[in-house]
Amino acid sequence: MKVELVKPQGYCGGVVNAIKMAYLARKENPDQEVYVLGALVHNQTVIDELEKSNIHTILEKDINNKIEELPKGTVVIFTAHGHDEKLENRVKVLGLKIYDATCPHVVANANKIKEELKAGHQVIYIGQSGHKETEAVLSISKDISLYDIKLLINYYLITDESPFVINQTTLNFLSLKDIHKDILEHIPGARIADEICVASRKRQEAILNIDNSFDLIIIVGDESSSNTRKLFEIAVSSHPQAKILFVHDLEALRKENIDGYKKAAISSGASTPSYVVDDIYNYLLSK
Ligand code: SF4
């Protein structure tokens, strides 16, 4: 089979930053337990690797109870996607030692939102309800209205004629354009900031640019990764000529029937380790 890697591949800057931060926390605190409060990044392979270095992950649903049991001075790491400010306050009160691995792009967006709120504006946040980045932003203030990508927004809540509009960093850039259009039709004075991060946008554009000679497109990453799911969505909508597969690793790909396909393109999410992609690349070359 002919195989091509769709670039970019490998970790984005935010994931590199988060992983480095976790290992730094481990190194600087050899006598302490180290816990990540939720998934450091949305990829189970990465989380398994951290565990091997005694960097433990507390599941999202267990965080509030578990932190109450940790002895003072225990190291906790905030994940790449941001965190609820109430959680940070609680962690400080408990005397836990914080390492913050929030992606700089996510931090910058939160700062913009705070400035707009301080200036007295309403904020419309386009995101996915339940996603950690979105929930972290909504925790900043009740004056932020969610435009849920699945449920839309109740425009009656927006009384500001020029609200600030911003979004989760890993949305589908094509869907976001439509949402911006919808908002401007309802609120012509809305001020829109398109904040899809470069890592997500470049990967999405690259998927669109795959030519029609490919009959198989493989997206490698974790189901829980928003940016990876968007690559799958875009591949499905823009390449009806090809079979599109979303797999976590080579083991998952081996379960798929790919007999008869001649030319494959491989794309991957911003938190997918390169060695996982390399395994898939080599397997396909041998087919
Ligand atoms: S995908 Fe974008 S927002 Fe998420 S960690 Fe990477 S650079 Fe940051």
Short mmCIF file of all heavy atoms in Angstrom, two decimals, residues 11-16 18 41 80-81 102-106 133 169-170 195-200 203 227 270-271, ligand 1:
data_model
loop_
_atom_site.label_atom_id
_atom_site.label_comp_id
_atom_site.label_asym_id
_atom_site.label_seq_id
_atom_site.Cartn_x
_atom_site.Cartn_y
_atom_site.Cartn_z
N TYR A 11 3.40 16.19 18.76
CA TYR A 11 2.74 17.01 19.78
C TYR A 11 2.73 18.49 19.40
O TYR A 11 3.69 19.00 18.84
CB TYR A 11 3.50 16.89 21.11
CG TYR A 11 3.52 15.52 21.74
CD1 TYR A 11 4.63 15.09 22.47
CD2 TYR A 11 2.43 14.67 21.65
CE1 TYR A 11 4.66 13.83 23.07
CE2 TYR A 11 2.46 13.41 22.25
CZ TYR A 11 3.57 13.01 22.95
OH TYR A 11 3.60 11.77 23.54
N CYS A 12 1.64 19.17 19.77
CA CYS A 12 1.62 20.63 19.65
C CYS A 12 2.41 21.23 20.82
O CYS A 12 2.77 20.52 21.78
CB CYS A 12 0.17 21.12 19.70
SG CYS A 12 -0.61 20.77 21.28
N GLY A 13 2.63 22.53 20.74
CA GLY A 13 3.40 23.21 21.78
C GLY A 13 2.77 23.04 23.16
O GLY A 13 3.47 22.86 24.16
N GLY A 14 1.43 23.09 23.22
CA GLY A 14 0.74 23.00 24.52
C GLY A 14 0.94 21.64 25.17
O GLY A 14 1.10 21.53 26.38
N VAL A 15 0.95 20.60 24.35
CA VAL A 15 1.14 19.24 24.88
C VAL A 15 2.60 19.04 25.32
O VAL A 15 2.87 18.48 26.39
CB VAL A 15 0.71 18.19 23.83
CG1 VAL A 15 1.14 16.79 24.24
CG2 VAL A 15 -0.80 18.24 23.65
N VAL A 16 3.53 19.55 24.51
CA VAL A 16 4.96 19.47 24.89
C VAL A 16 5.15 20.15 26.24
O VAL A 16 5.78 19.61 27.15
CB VAL A 16 5.85 20.15 23.81
CG1 VAL A 16 7.29 20.30 24.32
CG2 VAL A 16 5.82 19.35 22.52
N ALA A 18 2.98 20.70 28.61
CA ALA A 18 2.32 19.98 29.71
C ALA A 18 3.14 18.75 30.14
O ALA A 18 3.31 18.49 31.33
CB ALA A 18 0.92 19.56 29.29
N VAL A 41 -3.23 15.41 29.18
CA VAL A 41 -3.64 15.69 27.79
C VAL A 41 -4.58 14.54 27.41
O VAL A 41 -4.59 13.50 28.08
CB VAL A 41 -2.41 15.74 26.84
CG1 VAL A 41 -1.45 16.84 27.26
CG2 VAL A 41 -1.68 14.41 26.79
N ALA A 80 -3.59 20.46 30.74
CA ALA A 80 -3.37 21.40 29.62
C ALA A 80 -4.62 22.19 29.24
O ALA A 80 -4.52 23.25 28.64
CB ALA A 80 -2.88 20.61 28.40
N HIS A 81 -5.80 21.68 29.63
CA HIS A 81 -7.03 22.30 29.11
C HIS A 81 -7.60 23.38 30.02
O HIS A 81 -8.65 23.95 29.72
CB HIS A 81 -8.10 21.23 28.91
CG HIS A 81 -7.56 19.98 28.32
ND1 HIS A 81 -7.16 18.91 29.08
CD2 HIS A 81 -7.29 19.68 27.04
CE1 HIS A 81 -6.66 17.98 28.28
NE2 HIS A 81 -6.73 18.41 27.06
N THR A 102 -1.42 24.33 32.17
CA THR A 102 -2.41 24.84 31.21
C THR A 102 -1.71 25.37 29.97
O THR A 102 -0.72 26.11 30.06
CB THR A 102 -3.24 25.98 31.84
OG1 THR A 102 -3.74 25.55 33.10
CG2 THR A 102 -4.41 26.36 30.94
N CYS A 103 -2.23 25.02 28.80
CA CYS A 103 -1.66 25.48 27.52
C CYS A 103 -1.68 27.02 27.49
O CYS A 103 -2.71 27.64 27.81
CB CYS A 103 -2.50 24.93 26.37
SG CYS A 103 -2.05 25.67 24.79
N PRO A 104 -0.59 27.65 27.08
CA PRO A 104 -0.54 29.12 27.04
C PRO A 104 -1.67 29.74 26.20
O PRO A 104 -2.15 30.83 26.50
CB PRO A 104 0.83 29.42 26.41
CG PRO A 104 1.65 28.21 26.72
CD PRO A 104 0.71 27.05 26.73
N HIS A 105 -2.08 29.04 25.16
CA HIS A 105 -3.17 29.56 24.31
C HIS A 105 -4.49 29.61 25.10
O HIS A 105 -5.27 30.55 24.99
CB HIS A 105 -3.32 28.67 23.08
CG HIS A 105 -4.14 29.30 21.99
ND1 HIS A 105 -3.62 29.64 20.76
CD2 HIS A 105 -5.43 29.68 21.96
CE1 HIS A 105 -4.57 30.19 20.03
NE2 HIS A 105 -5.69 30.21 20.72
N VAL A 106 -4.70 28.60 25.92
CA VAL A 106 -5.91 28.55 26.75
C VAL A 106 -5.87 29.66 27.81
O VAL A 106 -6.87 30.34 28.07
CB VAL A 106 -6.05 27.15 27.40
CG1 VAL A 106 -7.20 27.10 28.39
CG2 VAL A 106 -6.22 26.08 26.32
N GLU A 133 -11.99 22.40 28.86
CA GLU A 133 -11.61 23.79 28.54
C GLU A 133 -12.83 24.70 28.66
O GLU A 133 -12.76 25.79 29.24
CB GLU A 133 -11.03 23.84 27.13
CG GLU A 133 -10.50 25.21 26.74
CD GLU A 133 -9.94 25.23 25.31
OE1 GLU A 133 -9.52 24.17 24.80
OE2 GLU A 133 -9.96 26.31 24.71
N THR A 169 -10.53 26.24 21.84
CA THR A 169 -9.41 26.28 20.88
C THR A 169 -9.42 25.18 19.83
O THR A 169 -8.73 25.29 18.82
CB THR A 169 -8.08 26.18 21.64
OG1 THR A 169 -8.16 25.05 22.52
CG2 THR A 169 -7.80 27.42 22.45
N THR A 170 -10.17 24.11 20.09
CA THR A 170 -10.04 22.92 19.22
C THR A 170 -11.29 22.62 18.41
O THR A 170 -11.52 21.49 18.00
CB THR A 170 -9.68 21.68 20.08
OG1 THR A 170 -10.63 21.59 21.15
CG2 THR A 170 -8.29 21.79 20.65
N GLU A 195 -10.43 31.96 17.82
CA GLU A 195 -9.31 31.48 18.64
C GLU A 195 -9.05 29.99 18.51
O GLU A 195 -8.64 29.35 19.47
CB GLU A 195 -9.52 31.87 20.10
CG GLU A 195 -9.40 33.35 20.37
CD GLU A 195 -8.01 33.94 20.07
OE1 GLU A 195 -7.06 33.16 19.93
OE2 GLU A 195 -7.91 35.17 19.96
N ILE A 196 -9.33 29.44 17.33
CA ILE A 196 -8.88 28.05 17.11
C ILE A 196 -7.35 28.09 17.10
O ILE A 196 -6.76 28.96 16.45
CB ILE A 196 -9.44 27.50 15.78
CG1 ILE A 196 -10.95 27.33 15.92
CG2 ILE A 196 -8.77 26.18 15.42
CD1 ILE A 196 -11.63 26.78 14.71
N CYS A 197 -6.72 27.21 17.83
CA CYS A 197 -5.26 27.30 17.94
C CYS A 197 -4.61 26.85 16.63
O CYS A 197 -5.21 26.12 15.83
CB CYS A 197 -4.76 26.48 19.11
SG CYS A 197 -4.89 24.71 18.87
N VAL A 198 -3.41 27.32 16.40
CA VAL A 198 -2.70 27.04 15.15
C VAL A 198 -2.55 25.53 14.93
O VAL A 198 -2.75 25.02 13.83
CB VAL A 198 -1.31 27.71 15.16
CG1 VAL A 198 -0.50 27.33 13.94
CG2 VAL A 198 -1.46 29.22 15.26
N ALA A 199 -2.25 24.81 16.02
CA ALA A 199 -2.03 23.36 15.89
C ALA A 199 -3.29 22.67 15.36
O ALA A 199 -3.21 21.80 14.48
CB ALA A 199 -1.66 22.78 17.25
N SER A 200 -4.45 23.06 15.88
CA SER A 200 -5.71 22.43 15.42
C SER A 200 -6.03 22.87 13.99
O SER A 200 -6.38 22.04 13.14
CB SER A 200 -6.87 22.85 16.32
OG SER A 200 -6.67 22.37 17.62
N ARG A 203 -3.85 21.26 11.20
CA ARG A 203 -4.19 19.84 10.96
C ARG A 203 -5.51 19.73 10.20
O ARG A 203 -5.66 18.90 9.30
CB ARG A 203 -4.28 19.09 12.29
CG ARG A 203 -2.93 18.72 12.88
CD ARG A 203 -3.08 18.21 14.30
NE ARG A 203 -1.85 17.60 14.81
CZ ARG A 203 -0.79 18.27 15.24
NH1 ARG A 203 -0.79 19.59 15.23
NH2 ARG A 203 0.28 17.64 15.68
N ASN A 227 -9.56 17.86 19.52
CA ASN A 227 -8.93 18.24 18.24
C ASN A 227 -8.85 17.04 17.30
O ASN A 227 -8.98 17.19 16.08
CB ASN A 227 -7.57 18.92 18.47
CG ASN A 227 -6.44 17.96 18.73
OD1 ASN A 227 -5.88 17.39 17.81
ND2 ASN A 227 -6.10 17.77 20.00
N ALA A 270 -3.14 16.36 18.13
CA ALA A 270 -2.01 17.12 18.68
C ALA A 270 -1.46 16.50 19.96
O ALA A 270 -0.43 16.96 20.47
CB ALA A 270 -2.46 18.55 18.96
N SER A 271 -2.13 15.47 20.49
CA SER A 271 -1.59 14.80 21.68
C SER A 271 -1.26 13.32 21.39
O SER A 271 -1.09 12.52 22.31
CB SER A 271 -2.59 14.90 22.84
OG SER A 271 -3.86 14.45 22.43
S1 SF4 B 1 -4.34 21.60 20.76
FE1 SF4 B 1 -4.07 23.82 20.82
S2 SF4 B 1 -5.08 24.49 22.68
FE2 SF4 B 1 -4.81 22.26 22.86
S3 SF4 B 1 -2.86 22.03 23.95
FE3 SF4 B 1 -2.37 22.03 21.75
S4 SF4 B 1 -1.88 24.17 21.24
FE4 SF4 B 1 -2.95 24.15 23.22
#
